[in-house]
Amino acid sequence: MKNVLYIATILLLNLIGCCGCDSDSKNTPTPDMPTEGGYLFAHMKDSDYGGIYYYISKDARQWIVLNDDKTIEPRYSGHPDIIKGPDGRYRMIGVTRSLPKSLVLWVSMDLMTWQMDGTIPDAAIFDTPGYHPDGWYSAPKLFYDADSGKYLITWHASRNEVAEGSDEWWDEMRTFYMTTTDFKTYSKPARLFDFKSEEFKNAATIDAIIRKIDGSYYAVFKDERSNDVAPTGKTILISKSASLTGPYSEPICVVTPKTDAGKTDKWHEAPTIVEQPDGKGWYIFAERYPTEYVRFEAPNIESTTWHQYVIGIPNARHGVMVRITDEQYAAILAKYGF
């Protein structure tokens, strides 16, 4: 059955069309080993900022565009982030399509049929004095911590008194979080990062995701400062903590390449992280905005060097990778691939 599925997938790559090419890379990617199941990439597009679209892959290298490149859930709006909860259901967080914004919870048993499952009260997320002008916040992300039984929700916002859209507004972005066990009561929002070094104490941080790997918590996020202000501006960083809510360490590695001040060719944001197909390392996909996702890989999450390969996923913004089983792969492909 697995061989039949794999052959069918290769045929579909030719019939439907696929994305992913490393022809202009200076490096030769390491071979992508076959994996049971595969990867689902849920993402937005620049032409539909806030919509949700699906790509699927067996090896995190060649991607099949699903549903004829149409949204799989017209009601959804947000930066998709998907996690699996203790009840076996998948949860995804989004925002309302109209102002004022509210966080919307979505649930699914199969990653195909999504239902709205309530909202998070504005009063909970707006309880951060000095931030959220006119109810503005962005990129809510969701993580479930099995050890504590808590869901962690992160987002970012800038200071009230700074002019929206200005360089200072972006340089003042900070990441906040709150926790819940039942999506009925929530902890008081707090700052996630409190860096002390001269290099990072004023770092603007956005697009933060939390993952637990080998007993430690890792925050993967973007340094939003201008790259003529900070050497790591517009790059993806990783910090580490022994606790879900921190304190998180000073950044332990820079994933994406630094670039010269004032240039934009290497700016990245909206990272997502998955295990390599052989389970012997990690991929971080980051948006080289606003055109495509590119792949970085390392044998260890704390590697100081992440190798970039131009495994491009075009027409994709702000997405999340989800590992899926053979059965899920076949079902999703059957529903959206023909």
Side-chain angles (χ1 to χ4, degrees):
M1 177 63 186
K2 292 178 182 178
N3 290 334
V4 172
L5 180 60
Y6 184 75
I7 293 170
T9 301
I10 299 301
L11 292 173
L12 280 166
L13 285 170
N14 294 320
L15 292 171
I16 301 172
C18 66
C19 49
C21 177
D22 60 324
S23 59
D24 61 340
S25 174
K26 295 181 180 179
N27 301 300
T28 301
T30 54
D32 296 302
M33 302 298 292
T35 181
E36 290 192 6
Y39 299 83
L40 177 68
F41 181 42
H43 63 94
M44 307 182 336
K45 296 197 299 184
D46 200 42
S47 59
D48 183 15
Y49 197 85
I52 183 170
Y53 299 81
Y54 275 2
Y55 291 170
I56 201 170
S57 175
K58 290 293 292 182
D59 59 9
R61 181 176 181 182
Q62 298 290 339
W63 295 89
I64 301 172
V65 179
L66 296 181
N67 204 37
D68 197 26
D69 208 22
K70 296 182 176 65
T71 178
I72 60 99
E73 175 47 72
R75 298 171 297 169
Y76 180 79
S77 175
H79 297 186
D81 193 25
I82 299 171
I83 57 96
K84 193 172 186 178
D87 57 0
R89 297 193 300 172
Y90 292 91
R91 290 191 177 273
M92 178 169 62
I93 197 164
V95 297
T96 54
R97 283 191 171 270
S98 59
L99 295 175
K101 286 185 178 180
S102 292
L103 293 183
V104 181
L105 298 170
W106 294 78
V107 297
S108 176
M109 287 299 299
D110 56 12
L111 294 168
M112 293 181 288
T113 302
W114 289 96
Q115 298 293 332
M116 286 185 281
D117 191 40
T119 61
I120 296 175
D122 290 347
I125 199 168
F126 290 160
D127 189 15
T128 50
Y131 287 81
H132 307 306
D134 300 320
W136 190 97
Y137 56 91
S138 190
K141 305 294 183 182
L142 188 62
F143 172 70
Y144 177 70
D145 179 35
D147 288 345
S148 66
K150 293 180 179 179
Y151 293 89
L152 179 79
I153 301 167
T154 62
W155 67 93
H156 59 261
S158 191
R159 291 188 294 116
N160 289 0
E161 62 268 26
V162 179
E164 184 173 343
S166 65
D167 288 343
E168 184 182 5
W169 188 71
W170 287 110
D171 287 343
E172 290 293 331
M173 285 290 170
R174 300 295 183 265
T175 298
F176 296 87
Y177 76 88
M178 60 187 179
T179 62
T180 182
T181 58
D182 56 10
F183 294 101
K184 296 177 181 178
T185 59
Y186 300 88
S187 66
K188 183 179 176 63
R191 285 268 297 274
L192 184 62
F193 304 120
D194 185 22
F195 302 136
K196 303 298 185 183
S197 68
E198 287 298 317
E199 183 178 2
F200 291 107
K201 69 179 182 180
N202 293 316
T205 60
I206 71 168
D207 295 342
I209 59 172
I210 306 298
R211 297 293 184 265
K212 191 171 188 181
I213 300 170
D214 296 332
S216 295
Y217 298 89
Y218 293 90
V220 186
F221 59 97
K222 178 189 178 185
D223 184 342
E224 184 59 301
R225 292 176 293 182
S226 302
N227 64 336
D228 56 356
V229 170
T232 57
K234 312 304 182 185
T235 67
I236 303 301
L237 307 175
I238 298 178
S239 291
K240 180 181 180 180
S241 175
S243 173
L244 174 66
T245 58
Y248 280 85
S249 69
E250 303 291 311
I252 58 177
C253 56
V254 182
V255 176
T256 59
K258 300 176 185 178
T259 189
D260 296 331
K263 292 187 177 181
T264 64
D265 59 315
K266 296 178 182 177
W267 289 8
H268 294 85
E269 64 184 18
T272 183
I273 183 171
V274 289
E275 279 191 284
Q276 293 183 17
D278 60 6
K280 295 181 180 179
W282 296 92
Y283 292 149
I284 288 180
F285 286 82
E287 179 190 328
R288 185 161 61 187
Y289 55 98
T291 57
E292 65 176 348
Y293 263 75
V294 291
R295 194 179 87 186
F296 301 83
E297 65 178 63
N300 187 286
I301 187 65
E302 295 190 28
S303 295
T304 56
T305 301
W306 288 74
H307 295 285
Q308 175 182 350
Y309 299 110
V310 187
I311 308 293
I313 309 178
N315 197 20
R317 301 203 64 183
H318 285 70
V320 59
M321 299 279 179
V322 182
R323 285 297 299 266
I324 54 177
T325 65
D326 281 336
E327 292 74 19
Q328 289 173 313
Y329 186 97
I332 293 169
L333 194 59
K335 179 170 183 177
Y336 291 119
F338 298 94

